[in-house]
Amino acid sequence: MLYASVTLFVLAATAGATILITWLNKKNAPKAVVYSHGLLAVSGLLVLLYYAFTHPAAYPKLSIGLFIITALAGIYMFITSRPDQVKPVRIAGLHALLAVSSLITLLVYVFS
């Protein structure tokens, strides 16, 4: 189950990097990539939360907390950004740093 979560987060990170690169080039990201990124990330978080509920004695608490904060930043960007507006690149950068930190803490938990 943890491997499935990691896989979903890596796929979400790939889509997220695509979005960030597109925004840095002053273009709009394709809607399919934006929606795929969100769905993959939410799916990864749900799988991770399911793991936490089924293994209450030992689960990656720090990683889950960081992913939730990351998700809140992503939801904020999704709700507030419009195709005709300036993209929130600074928030997207913070979102990306939080996501990478979350994924690294999850990988440390899984492989240690």
Side-chain angles (χ1 to χ4, degrees), residues 7 13-15 19 21 37 42 50 55 62 74 85:
T7 302
T14 304
I19 296 166
I21 290 168
H37 169 69
V42 167
Y50 180 75
H55 298 85
L62 177 61
Q85 293 178 336

Side-chain angles (χ1 to χ4, degrees), residues 1-103:
M1 198 170 320
L2 287 174
Y3 294 124
S5 182
V6 168
T7 302
L8 289 166
F9 283 129
V10 168
L11 292 172
T14 304
T18 303
I19 296 166
L20 184 58
I21 290 168
T22 305
W23 282 8
L24 290 172
N25 289 324
K26 308 280 190 227
K27 297 179 182 176
N28 290 322
K31 287 184 181 180
V33 177
V34 173
Y35 291 126
S36 298
H37 169 69
L39 288 173
L40 288 165
V42 167
S43 298
L45 184 56
L46 289 175
V47 169
L48 191 56
L49 288 172
Y50 180 75
Y51 177 83
F53 286 120
T54 58
H55 298 85
Y59 62 93
K61 296 171 188 72
L62 177 61
S63 183
I64 290 173
L66 288 172
F67 274 124
I68 289 171
I69 294 168
T70 303
L72 292 173
I75 291 166
Y76 171 79
M77 285 187 300
F78 182 77
I79 291 172
T80 61
S81 68
R82 303 281 181 250
D84 57 339
Q85 293 178 336
V86 176
K87 303 302 177 210
V89 176
R90 289 183 183 189
I91 296 173
L94 176 63
H95 174 73
L97 288 174
L98 282 168
V100 169
S101 301
S102 305
L103 184 57

Side-chain angles (χ1 to χ4, degrees), residues 105-112:
T105 59
L106 180 59
L107 290 171
V108 168
Y109 178 83
V110 170
F111 293 111
S112 64

